[in-house]
Amino acid sequence: MYDVLNDSVLQKISEIADAEGVQAFVIGGFVRDIFLRRHNNDIDIVTLGNGIDLAEKTAHAISPKLTVSVFKNFGTAMFRYNGMEYEFVGARKESYSHDSRKPHVEAGTLEEDQNRRDFTINALALSLNKENFAELLDPFNGLQDMNDKIIRTPLDPALTFSDDPLRMMRAVRFAAQLDFTIEEKTFEGIRQMKERISIVSMERIIDEFNKIMMTEKPSRGIVLLDKAGLLELIFPELSKLKGVEVINGCGHKDNFLHTLQVLDNVAEKSDNLWLRWTALLHDIGKPRTKKFSETIGWTFYGHEIVGSRMVPDIFRRLKLPMNEKLKYVQKLVLLHLRPIALVDEEVSDSAVRRLLFDASDDIDDLMLLCEADITSKNEIKVKTFLQNFQLVREKLKIVEEKDALRNWQPPITGEEIIETFHIQPSKEVGIIKLAIREAILDGVIGNNHDEAFAFMLEKGKELGLAK
Ligand code: ATP
Ligand code: MG
């Protein structure tokens, strides 16, 4: 099990620590992952001496060319070797002030260093010195908790979470990643301290949230965030999807549970974080568009439009990237109902063409999202829907082969229009370009230069332009 300790760098650290007469340990996530048989590239070394010194001496012994990054302010140093990252620090104890998650730090014993760790399973240390090489130091029974699949804080939960509220997110993230349970008192501590999340930067929160999004079954983590009362604080729009309203005995589905199901369905098929985000946000506009009508019951007309308009504000607040990832999520949220409209037998080629044009390279992701969106409990219904989507996929394929509309480039450029009619760049150029595009999408002309050119001449004539 300790095969990983044969690592040449760890052996070197062992030698040098002995030669220097200091104690050194591997600690934290790397040790945890040895027992969980998970791969981990980050090795944290803690020494009862000077961490920077040990890092520099080790690096030099491995190769004089190895560069060490030193963070003097933090008393830490790290280097990379053979795809692994080694981080060194002196054992420390921490004390916190109320308004910051940055502790006051001073040198401490190994036990004090273990006390400041977030969870029992993250507090394990393995000795590296020769006389007790690979000895496990496990003051909080982290090994037992690992066997029992439990997340528990080493010290008083309320204090642990109040000191550094990011740990609340980490608790949920580890529970979600490892499929562990958060021990009752620990969970109570989170519920009690949830408001403290306000001192954590959104970047750190969303970093953990995205790790939850990337787990095998993201709903698990999100349900925990909700139960802890954290979801409402960090992501109120999502919380608002919860619940079922009933009027005249007529209820709608719980959009929160539905959304989580769609998210899990997508997660089963794709590792794309942003497609998962699309699943999470696809119905985000529903609370704002919800209406009850005596004749048809509950409706959410336009929720895809309202939802896609909400996405930029959500991304901005959650400190998610305001770039093409945002555009992608916005686009898929906006289009998520379109493939359903293509299920009809006698749907026109034109509608298929327009969807291909609008979704472009993201059409496969869109289809995956739509299939994941079918969460009916009625198996026959689900089967029928999926078969229908299969037909849509076939229609898309046929039209695509015929018309090559992905990443569509206009067959006639603005320059060609200008040259042909000897005009200046003007409104007319735009009108003609748009008319050509519409004609292609409507199937009036083919997606090729010859037909587009003839069409342009005709359109120019209509506009009073001479060749
Ligand atoms: P992963 O690398 O998968 O995110 P990890 O447990 O290695 O998990 P890191 O953030 O790399 O997490 O931290 C390494 C170790 O440092 C942890 O195992 C834990 O002992 C300690 N640690 C990290 N963040 C905190 C924190 N906010 N509070 C207390 N201890 C922490
Ligand atoms: Mg780590």
Side-chain angles (χ1 to χ4, degrees), residues 254-272:
D254 182 320
N255 289 307
F256 183 66
L257 298 179
H258 165 72
T259 292
L260 293 183
Q261 180 67 56
V262 178
L263 174 60
D264 285 348
N265 289 349
V266 165
E268 235 175 71
K269 296 266 164 65
S270 167
D271 284 338
N272 177 348

Side-chain angles (χ1 to χ4, degrees), residues 28-29 32 40 42 44 101 116-118 122 164 167 170 173-174 211:
R32 176 199 65 218
N40 194 326
D42 296 341
D44 289 312
R101 49 177 297 267
R116 74 176 178 87
R117 306 259 156 192
D118 47 5
N122 284 348
D164 177 0
R167 293 169 181 161
R170 284 173 59 89
R173 187 257 289 191
F174 284 119
K211 284 182 183 169

Side-chain angles (χ1 to χ4, degrees), residues 126-164:
L126 287 169
S127 172
L128 289 177
N129 295 82
K130 203 171 213 151
E131 62 167 14
N132 57 348
F133 189 80
E135 184 190 328
L136 179 69
L137 297 115
D138 178 15
F140 310 111
N141 281 324
L143 205 52
Q144 186 63 48
D145 282 348
M146 246 185 282
N147 281 326
D148 299 341
K149 299 181 141 226
I150 282 176
I151 306 289
R152 182 203 312 269
T153 58
L155 307 178
D156 172 38
L159 184 66
T160 305
F161 292 127
S162 173
D163 276 351
D164 177 0

Side-chain angles (χ1 to χ4, degrees), residues 2 4-5 24-28 30-31 34-35 114 124-129 132-137:
Y2 291 153
V4 277
L5 294 185
F25 307 85
V26 201
I27 196 163
F30 186 77
V31 181
I34 293 176
F35 292 101
Q114 287 173 303
L124 282 76
L126 287 169
S127 172
L128 289 177
N129 295 82
N132 57 348
F133 189 80
E135 184 190 328
L136 179 69
L137 297 115

